[in-house]
Amino acid sequence: MTAQVDYLVVVFTATSGASGELLGSDEKELGQLVWQLVDVKNKKLGKVNELFIKLDLSDLTEEKEEEDGVEESVEEEDRSPADNVYTATSLETALNLFHLQLTNEVNSAGAGTSVCLCTDGPLHIRQVIHPEAASKNILVPDCFYSFFDLRKEFKKHFPTSDLKALNVHIMAESLTIPVDVPAMWDPSATQDPSAILPPEIAVQQVQTMGSIVLALLSEPFSHAFSTQERVSEKFETGTCSKMEKVCDNTVIRARGLPWQSSDQDIARFFRGLNIAKGGAALCLNAQGRRNGEALVRFVSEEHRDLALQRHKHHMGNRYIEVYKASGEDFLKIAGGTSNEVAMFLSREDQIIVRMRGLPFTATHEQVLTFFSPEEDLKETCPVSGGKDGILFVRYPDGRPTGDAFVLFACEEHTQCALRKHKEILGRRYIELFKSTAAEVQQVLNRYSSAPLISVAPAPLVSMLPAVSLLPPPGSVRDCLRLRGLPYTASIEDILTFLGEFTHDIRPHGVHMVLNQQARPSGDCFIQLTSAERSIQASQRLHKHIMSSQRGANSRYVEVFPCSTEEMGLVLMGGSLSHTHTHAHIRSRSGTGLSPPPCLSPPSYSFGPVPPVMSAEAAAALYPPIGQMLLAPRHLPPGHAYYPASAQLYMNYAAYYPSPPGSPTVGFFPSPASLSSPGGLMRMPGLTYNGNGVKDLISAMQGYQYAPEDALMHAHGPMHAHDPTGTLLTQPKEWVCI
């Protein structure tokens, strides 16, 4: 609560784009600013002022610009109902002119000095003025950091009103204020919020808002304007505990950030909205590097909803995607439990720098000397707090990881420290990056966390055949792996690159691998008809140049032979090393394979898991899967989804399915001892409201299957048309979907 102000300034803005509830959502620039001074004590209205922002066109001569500017100003002044009309050539000039004219008018009135803006909703200040000023690095006058929301002040006397449905027209009707509003602005009419607002409407809006303010100040309301809305001037860093409760309706996820962006860059992108203390958390990938995503926590649901309207707004040359997220997501990234980290981050107004690549024997003294060498006084950047300003990252057993975080007291010392990027400490060069409190928590959590579940969960189907995760060493290497493709490469480019080997590709035998963002990863798998042709292709095409029709870039492509099982392992998210790919005799430890990341790390130790039910009970309830695999039926010809004469190549696969639509798919190749090739696919997490078999058949479109024995329910045998099937047997060719 604050004291009653002497003057209110009723403000209305209009852009060259959408208006109403979509104002500012299309990132259009401010084009019109209208205001009127209201004397709160004497209950008097001042003059209506209108300011047009016209961009300065560089292709006109100075003389021509002056003539056009004078004529335009005269024309607008003649047709505008405002008392004073001004023009400006830029946003910075417009804001300074607004502040100057407002100051002069308040001084001439002489009834006080305290002034506060008043707007119809928060969009004019939070979504128009502050975002545009931040994107252009313009300093905003202090008067724009506090304002009264006329809708919230009105709701105090009319509590049944819906805040989101309120507008100037409805408030004027409730207060019996006669308003001559054109039909194009009448909310009862079906108007398009994305339509551009006519210039004369803004002046009428301000005049009506001034009348509403006087009505609220007068009897019987005698309203006191005392609760101001605040706009945060700067982002406050801080810590977050994992025990803290974070509301789901206050968190968003931002994607597409430049890799070098910091929490301050995120705060600048959301300028005008209040981010909670320590509420900007940059996400890291499995290698500890920033992945272009961030979780942002706002002070209220209202600010979160306004942030969602900035979906695909730009940060530099990149557009940023904004989605809803949960409080649990934020705590996973920014939450911490270490007292050492809390003490390190408890210092206010400190700037954090991350050191990466330190020698494992590095000490506090060596780090201090690195930043403040005795022989070079000009490049001295003292660490804030000495040894207490250095935090080494360690494994749970105390071993160093080679990472550390260092605190600096000011931006000058920080920039001096960052200039030491890739300088030598001991025998290693050190990488330096500007960091955040949330990144400190993430790195510490990554190295010191233990598995959340102490024992492995019991299997859903206990009699699945025990299949090794790694392919057998004697697998037929009838596939090719292409690595280093141009990101713009298409299926046609790959076929052109393969040349004569195109005729040896199996139907649906080209598998483009996508990354987590559903974009090409530069990898591709090709299924050929024989291992001999696979070896010939790898020897002839290895490190040849591939050109892309959709881009000018050309790259040499690495070509390796591999087996179908190895391809399936990589497509499930595992990794495949090519160190031993050309060796004819490979040991089990020399395959270079690692299981998919969805499985538990091998360092975790799990205790014995009690079976879900006894073997006798399981045999009575579950179908004999092993017998089906050991004695597979002959597969009749399937339905031809495509013309039989067409050679089909394209089949995209991703390392990770994109949530929430895609189920998790696990492929279990058949043991080598089976007389006929086959396999089992497990798809947990299917939606309950799905179409069951229709969805599965649609996913497998283009492949042959046996309808009478294709599907099995997790809780017993079923017919092929039962819509709850979750297990699917398949021929060997179905290694990729």
Side-chain angles (χ1 to χ4, degrees), residues 153-170:
E153 301 298 325
F154 175 85
K155 188 175 174 62
K156 293 179 181 178
H157 299 280
F158 297 87
T160 57
S161 304
D162 184 6
L163 198 62
K164 293 184 178 179
L166 278 179
N167 55 44
V168 173
H169 185 80
I170 295 176

Side-chain angles (χ1 to χ4, degrees), residues 692-729:
V693 175
K694 292 182 179 179
D695 292 339
L696 297 180
I697 299 305
S698 176
M700 301 298 173
Q701 197 174 53
Y703 299 100
Q704 293 184 347
Y705 60 93
E708 64 271 12
D709 64 355
L711 298 174
M712 298 173 61
H713 187 250
H715 298 287
M718 56 167 286
H719 191 266
H721 297 288
D722 191 333
T724 57
T726 56
L727 292 180
L728 178 66
T729 59

Side-chain angles (χ1 to χ4, degrees), residues 289-329:
R289 303 176 186 273
R290 297 171 185 173
N291 62 2
E293 294 190 5
L295 290 167
V296 186
R297 176 188 178 191
F298 294 92
V299 295
S300 66
E301 182 179 359
E302 177 189 6
H303 290 246
R304 192 283 307 266
D305 293 340
L306 294 179
L308 292 173
Q309 293 187 11
R310 301 194 188 182
H311 179 60
K312 291 196 174 181
H313 283 203
H314 287 77
M315 179 185 290
N317 296 325
R318 299 175 64 101
Y319 71 83
I320 308 301
E321 300 173 0
V322 182
Y323 304 99
K324 291 182 179 180
S326 65
E328 182 181 0
D329 294 336

Side-chain angles (χ1 to χ4, degrees), residues 388-599:
D388 294 335
I390 302 173
L391 177 65
F392 286 102
V393 183
R394 302 182 184 277
Y395 290 105
D397 58 2
R399 293 181 295 113
T401 64
D403 282 26
F405 293 93
V406 184
L407 293 177
F408 293 94
C410 62
E411 186 66 30
E412 181 183 356
H413 291 169
T414 304
Q415 294 302 323
C416 177
L418 293 176
R419 285 196 291 269
K420 297 179 178 291
H421 181 60
K422 291 195 174 182
E423 288 191 7
I424 302 298
L425 193 158
R427 294 184 178 180
R428 304 190 62 175
Y429 72 86
I430 309 300
E431 297 178 288
L432 300 174
F433 307 94
K434 205 170 181 180
S435 186
T436 65
E439 186 173 353
V440 176
Q441 296 281 20
Q442 282 186 82
V443 174
L444 267 295
N445 292 341
R446 185 182 303 276
Y447 286 112
S448 61
S449 61
L452 299 178
I453 303 176
S454 57
V455 295
L460 176 64
V461 183
S462 58
M463 59 287 300
L464 284 176
V467 181
S468 173
L469 292 172
L470 301 180
S475 302
V476 178
R477 309 178 69 77
D478 56 354
C479 299
L480 290 176
R481 183 181 185 184
L482 275 60
R483 187 172 67 178
L485 301 174
Y487 292 123
T488 57
S490 62
I491 300 294
E492 290 74 15
D493 298 326
I494 295 174
L495 298 181
T496 303
F497 175 78
L498 292 176
E500 62 177 284
F501 298 99
T502 302
H503 303 289
D504 300 303
I505 302 176
R506 294 184 182 183
H508 306 280
V510 178
H511 306 272
M512 297 287 288
V513 182
L514 308 180
N515 59 17
Q516 297 179 10
Q517 286 75 37
R519 298 187 179 95
S521 65
D523 279 24
C524 175
F525 285 95
I526 312 291
Q527 289 180 283
L528 300 181
T529 55
S530 65
E532 291 76 13
R533 296 295 287 171
S534 174
I535 295 175
Q536 291 176 13
S538 65
Q539 292 174 348
R540 193 174 303 177
L541 300 176
H542 185 58
K543 290 193 176 182
H544 279 207
I545 300 297
M546 176 185 290
S547 300
S548 174
Q549 299 176 2
R550 293 182 293 179
N553 57 330
S554 300
R555 300 182 63 177
Y556 77 85
V557 178
E558 299 175 283
V559 183
F560 306 96
C562 67
S563 65
T564 305
E565 290 80 8
E566 290 172 341
M567 178 183 71
L569 178 70
V570 174
L571 293 178
M572 286 177 60
S575 61
L576 174 61
S577 173
H578 303 290
T579 307
H580 305 278
T581 51
H582 293 284
H584 296 285
I585 301 175
R586 299 180 302 162
S587 65
R588 194 65 178 165
S589 60
T591 59
L593 299 174
S594 64
C598 56
L599 303 175

